[in-house]
C-alpha cells in the first residue's frame, strides 16, 4: 500500500483521524469513529480494504475489522495502525523458483489454485 505520510497523500492530522477510525472498527483502545474519519477511509483506503473494511480479495487488502492482524503485537493498536500508514509493510514471500525447480512450482501453483476453488 502507499506510504500516506512520506508521499504527502494525507496530513498528520488526517492520518491520526483515519487511524482512530480503523481502530474503532475492532474496538481498539483510542479508536474513535467520526464522519471525517469515515470519509478519509472511503476516499483513500476502501479501494483496497473494502468500503466496510472487510477486506478485498482482488486487491489483496486484508480485513481491518476482524481483530485479526497480519503483524501481531504492532497492528492491534492505534500506534500500530499509524505505523502502517507512515511505513507500510509489504508482505514478502521468498522466491522458490531456484529451490524447487520450474516443474514443481507449476504443480504447486495448480494445486494451490485448486484449493481456492479454481478462482
Ligand atoms: C493500494 C492498496 C491499499 C490501499 C489504498 C490501502 N491499503 Fe492498507 N494494506 C494493503 C495491503 C496489500 C496490506 C497488507 C500488507 C502486507 O501484507 O504486509 C495492507 C495492510 C494494512 C494494515 C495492516 C493490516 C494487518 O492486518 O496488519 C493496515 C492497518 C492498513 N493497511 C490500513 C490502511 C488504511 C487506514 C488505508 C487508507 C488510509 C490503507 N490501508 C490503504 C493495501 C492497501
Amino acid at each position: 500500500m502507499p506510504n500516506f505520510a512520506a508521499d504527502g497523500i494525507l496530513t498528520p492530522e488526517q492520518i491520526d483521524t483515519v487511524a482512530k477510525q480503523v481502530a474503532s472498527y475492532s474496538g481498539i483502545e483510542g479508536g474513535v469513529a467520526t464522519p471525517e474519519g469515515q470519509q478519509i477511509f472511503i476516499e483513500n483506503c476502501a479501494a483496497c480494504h473494502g468500503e466496510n473494511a472487510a477486506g478485498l480479495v482482488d486487491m489483496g487488502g486484508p480485513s481491518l475489522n476482524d481483530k485479526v492482524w497480519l503483524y501481531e503485537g504492532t497492528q492491534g493498536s492505534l500506534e500500530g495502525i499509524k505505523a502502517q500508514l507512515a511505513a507500510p509493510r509489504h508482505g514478502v514471500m521468498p522466491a522458490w523458483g531456484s529451490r524447487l525447480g520450474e516443474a514443481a512450482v507449476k504443480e504447486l501453483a495448480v494445486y494451490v489454485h485448486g484449493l481456492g476453488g479454481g478462482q
Side-chain angles (χ1 to χ4, degrees):
M1 59 186 258
N3 186 326
F4 287 93
D7 298 342
I9 304 170
L10 296 177
T11 65
E13 292 75 34
Q14 287 175 315
I15 286 181
D16 194 60
T17 304
V18 77
K20 286 181 178 159
Q21 183 77 22
V22 170
S24 77
Y25 294 150
S26 52
I28 289 173
E29 206 182 318
V32 188
T34 56
E36 197 197 349
Q38 173 74 5
Q39 193 185 341
I40 298 171
F41 187 87
I42 294 289
E43 287 172 5
N44 296 277
C45 322
C48 295
H49 291 286
E51 291 215 355
N52 55 2
L56 272 186
V57 174
D58 288 348
M59 297 304 292
S63 158
L64 299 179
N65 67 1
D66 61 358
K67 299 190 183 181
V68 175
W69 302 95
L70 293 172
Y71 303 101
E72 212 50 63
T74 50
Q75 300 296 344
S77 69
L78 190 54
E79 289 312 312
I81 294 169
K82 281 191 208 169
Q84 173 69 12
L85 298 180
R89 305 190 210 212
H90 302 281
V92 178
M93 194 169 145
W96 290 94
S98 58
R99 295 191 220 179
L100 295 175
E102 206 177 318
V105 166
K106 267 193 193 143
E107 281 166 20
L108 265 176
V110 170
Y111 173 69
V112 173
H113 189 249
L115 292 179
Q119 288 190 352

